[in-house]
Amino acid sequence: MKVTVVSRSGREVVKGGIDLKDSAKVADLQEAIHARTKKYYPSRQRLTLPLQPGKGGKPVVLSPKASLSEYCEKGSGSLTVVFKDLGPQVYYSTLFFFEYLGPLIIYPMFYYLPVYKFFGYEGERVIHPVQTYAMYYWCFHYFKRIMETFFVHRFSHATSPLSNVFRNCAYYWTFGAYIAYYCNHPLYTPVSDLQMKIGFGFGILCQIANFYCHILLRNLRNPSGSGGYQIPRGFLFNIVTCANYTTEIYQWIGFNIATQTVAGYIFLVVAASIMTNWALGKHSRLKKASLFDGKDGRPKYPRRWVIFPPFL
Amino acid sequence: MAGVGSAVRRLYLSVYNWVVFFGWAQVLYYAVLALRETGHEAVYAAVERPLQLAQTAAIMEILHGLVGLVRSPVSATLPQIGSRLFLTWGVLWSFPETQSHILVSSLVISWSITETIRYSFFGMKEAFGSAPSWLLWLRYSTFMLLYPTGITSEVGLIYIALPYMKASEKYCLRMPNKWNFSYDYYYSSLLALLIYVPGSPHMYRYMLSQRKKALSKAKAA
């Protein structure tokens, strides 16, 4: 079949179009476009069907595993696709690795190196036990995240735009430095021993719970990555849709109870609002998905908290 | 019922915009008067009250955007109002040593010309349904001169205030304290200055694109 590839402004991206076997898949089309254009490797391509003039709605995105013939107009042996360049892409694992590496390295720098001399604090620093435990807790947390990135998580999209690397690293690294500065400060005031134990103890429990949530989510996805939504089940997912975010937020609450810095609490609020945004999106996608509307014998998405019982 | 609601909204916004317009008109008048009769050192004292009132009233505009009374995105109004309040209260009012500087005159005149045009433009639209085309042109053209003069004055005044901020330790919070928090006004102001570097071209470009949209829409109409 003949495939015409145009940009959103109507210009032909691949002159003369591409000829493919009738049985070809979208992935084959992507390879062919890459071969002809050199610059646009498949993960950079976003291919959609042209929008009918007058009709609104979102354009249909071509799924790489589908057959091209599924998208053809009935009867014709040809297809027109609209091409959008998503810009340079990085693997999600690459993105996560760098954004988590920053906090993992920066925080211990404030703990071990004589950083505070540059802020005008001369002389010896007395290190309180809570500050040492906080450093271990923090580093374990980000080490866990990196391990999960490579060994646990299964990503729905393989890549993310390169610009996200700068944005996300700025977020994690800046907050990491901001919190590390106060937690390791020479004039740091520790909380009571009991409060510290409660904070870290609760935090560790939540990290374990969070890890288990990640394992459950992983098992929802087929290893070949055939995608599609599943209703999460088991453990805390029976009560709350995004139990993984819930446990992550609670884990930071634990850290803050133990270390008590305004910087830490600011980070908690910002992180929680970002995750709440994601959770609201995920919750409504799962409820609306034609898979879970309860009609025609399909399962209905159960009533659950979104992220933060009993509030949301 | 919807009719009553939108009539109330129009009435409220008309009153709001014309009242604040009047405040800024006063600022402009007193500033020019003081410049001519005395000199630039006297400008601040002459405009202080109407300036503080008119500028602080602008906080209402954030609320208007949040509750959906007006269409302006909060993301555009917040930095603008933030920098204005910072200059009005955080620099000029807090550090009297800056008040006699000539940049106060350029600041106050840039702001008041811009704001009298802006508020009368919105006041006309809310009260009469539309604004005259010459006012539309002024609203979307004078910024090309007044943004640079205003921003230069803002940056200059913050810079001049820096040594006084450092010496006075005003608005600073020091460690140790039980919340393990500190705040340094001098360094925050330095950070604000840094933000002007990417922030100003961004705002200018935004206004240029708004100008294109508004003036071409007027032409087509």
Side-chain angles (χ1 to χ4, degrees):
Chain A
M1 69 169 78
K2 170 91 179 292
V3 181
T4 311
V5 184
V6 293
S7 70
R8 283 169 299 162
S9 53
R11 184 185 52 91
E12 258 208 298
V13 176
V14 181
K15 293 224 187 340
I18 296 179
D19 284 304
L20 289 166
K21 290 206 292 278
D22 284 352
S23 57
K25 295 209 184 327
V26 173
D28 300 318
L29 172 62
Q30 288 181 317
E31 288 295 334
I33 293 175
H34 179 30
R36 292 282 295 271
T37 56
K38 298 280 185 291
K39 186 159 93 143
Y40 300 128
Y41 41 88
S43 54
R44 237 175 118 151
Q45 303 171 19
R46 184 177 135 96
L47 302 175
T48 54
L49 289 180
L51 273 175
Q52 305 303 327
K55 276 211 209 144
K58 291 165 70 172
V60 175
V61 181
L62 271 61
S63 163
K65 296 193 177 59
S67 286
L68 282 174
S69 50
E70 284 176 43
Y71 297 105
C72 280
E73 291 128 38
K74 295 179 273 290
S76 80
S78 71
L79 176 64
T80 302
V81 298
V82 179
F83 166 92
K84 179 180 171 185
D85 175 22
L86 294 174
Q89 299 285 304
V90 298
Y91 288 121
Y92 256 111
S93 44
T94 311
L95 171 65
F96 282 12
F97 175 71
F98 281 109
E99 66 190 33
Y100 299 151
L101 190 66
L104 186 59
I105 293 183
I106 292 172
Y107 192 108
M109 283 171 66
F110 280 87
Y111 181 86
Y112 286 112
L113 301 178
V115 169
Y116 295 95
K117 297 220 193 312
F118 294 105
F119 291 100
Y121 294 96
E122 307 293 337
E124 282 310 303
R125 224 173 92 214
V126 170
I127 297 183
H128 305 275
V130 63
Q131 292 176 300
T132 309
Y133 302 142
M135 193 264 300
Y136 290 144
Y137 183 99
W138 174 277
C139 290
F140 170 74
H141 179 73
Y142 282 100
F143 174 73
K144 165 180 166 286
R145 286 219 205 176
I146 292 178
M147 291 294 107
E148 285 171 337
T149 300
F150 289 119
F151 299 114
V152 178
H153 295 317
R154 284 196 180 129
F155 298 104
S156 56
H157 297 284
T159 65
S160 180
L162 176 65
S163 52
N164 279 351
V165 175
F166 302 108
R167 181 193 70 171
N168 291 13
C169 284
Y171 168 75
Y172 277 103
W173 295 21
T174 308
F175 263 120
Y178 189 50
I179 295 171
Y181 172 81
Y182 287 106
C183 283
N184 297 295
H185 202 279
L187 297 179
Y188 177 80
T189 309
V191 297
S192 74
D193 205 56
L194 177 64
Q195 186 173 330
M196 172 191 83
K197 288 181 173 138
I198 290 176
F200 284 136
F202 180 64
I204 290 173
L205 274 174
C206 294
Q207 289 210 61
I208 295 172
N210 176 261
F211 178 70
Y212 187 54
C213 286
H214 288 155
I215 298 285
L216 285 173
L217 285 174
R218 167 195 170 84
N219 291 335
L220 283 181
R221 263 192 214 287
N222 201 293
S224 66
S226 55
Y229 289 122
Q230 307 261 23
I231 300 181
R233 282 190 209 286
F235 193 46
L236 294 171
F237 285 107
N238 290 333
I239 344 170
V240 58
T241 299
C242 291
N244 49 322
Y245 297 149
T246 313
T247 46
E248 176 70 11
I249 294 171
Y250 275 123
Q251 172 279 129
W252 280 126
I253 292 177
F255 177 80
N256 280 318
I257 288 174
T259 53
Q260 196 156 295
T261 66
V262 169
Y265 277 108
I266 293 176
F267 176 65
L268 170 70
V269 168
V270 174
S273 44
I274 293 175
M275 283 187 264
T276 302
N277 242 6
W278 292 342
L280 287 168
K282 175 123 197 241
H283 188 86
S284 76
R285 272 199 305 276
L286 283 170
K287 276 181 82 164
K288 282 198 189 127
S290 54
L291 296 171
F292 308 131
D293 53 10
K295 303 190 176 124
D296 295 336
R298 285 189 286 264
K300 178 149 173 152
Y301 193 75
R303 272 200 68 175
R304 283 178 184 165
W305 297 107
V306 178
I307 181 173
F308 221 65
F311 302 110
L312 180 56
Chain B
M1 281 333 277
V4 175
S6 77
V8 170
R9 175 191 164 278
R10 258 183 79 178
L11 183 64
Y12 167 73
L13 285 175
S14 304
V15 169
Y16 173 78
N17 281 302
W18 284 114
V19 165
V20 185
F21 161 81
F22 184 64
W24 282 108
Q26 271 194 305
V27 173
L28 184 57
Y29 177 70
Y30 289 140
V32 173
L33 205 63
L35 259 181
R36 298 185 65 187
E37 288 186 353
T38 319
H40 69 259
E41 302 88 347
V43 169
Y44 181 79
V47 304
E48 183 178 45
R49 277 285 160 257
L51 173 69
Q52 290 177 334
L53 275 168
Q55 191 60 82
T56 310
I59 294 178
M60 294 302 294
E61 283 159 55
I62 300 178
L63 249 99
H64 296 166
L66 273 176
V67 303
L69 209 60
V70 294
R71 268 199 338 230
S72 317
V74 177
S75 60
T77 51
L78 207 54
Q80 165 94 332
I81 295 181
S83 70
R84 293 291 191 85
L85 291 173
F86 174 50
L87 261 301
T88 306
W89 292 105
V91 176
L92 289 175
W93 177 77
S94 301
F95 300 97
E97 304 90 333
T98 59
Q99 290 167 6
S100 51
H101 200 277
I102 194 165
L103 283 178
V104 175
S105 305
S106 54
L107 179 82
V108 151
I109 290 177
S110 302
W111 284 3
S112 55
I113 296 180
T114 301
E115 298 302 54
T116 45
I117 295 173
R118 187 164 78 92
Y119 283 105
S120 59
F121 175 77
F122 286 125
M124 292 265 203
K125 277 186 93 173
E126 293 299 340
F128 305 117
S130 68
S133 58
W134 55 264
L135 192 53
L136 175 81
W137 186 89
L138 279 177
R139 155 136 172 84
Y140 285 106
S141 306
T142 50
F143 78 88
M144 294 198 281
L145 174 66
L146 295 176
Y147 260 41
T149 55
I151 289 172
T152 307
S153 311
E154 289 178 30
V155 168
L157 284 169
I158 297 172
Y159 181 75
I160 285 161
L162 284 177
Y164 304 111
M165 291 177 182
K166 198 164 211 211
S168 71
E169 298 246 318
K170 218 172 190 180
Y171 309 132
C172 293
L173 187 66
R174 300 275 174 237
M175 303 249 286
N177 57 71
K178 76 174 224 191
W179 284 103
N180 292 307
F181 185 61
S182 67
Y183 181 71
D184 190 298
Y185 197 56
Y186 172 79
Y187 286 110
S188 301
S189 302
L190 268 182
L191 187 64
L193 272 184
L194 277 179
I195 293 179
Y196 271 94
V197 175
S200 319
H202 172 78
M203 294 293 288
Y204 197 77
R205 272 197 282 262
Y206 173 72
M207 284 305 291
L208 277 175
S209 72
Q210 292 295 91
R211 175 172 203 264
K212 228 167 151 201
K213 268 201 289 193
L215 295 185
S216 68
K217 204 165 75 158
K219 229 180 180 188

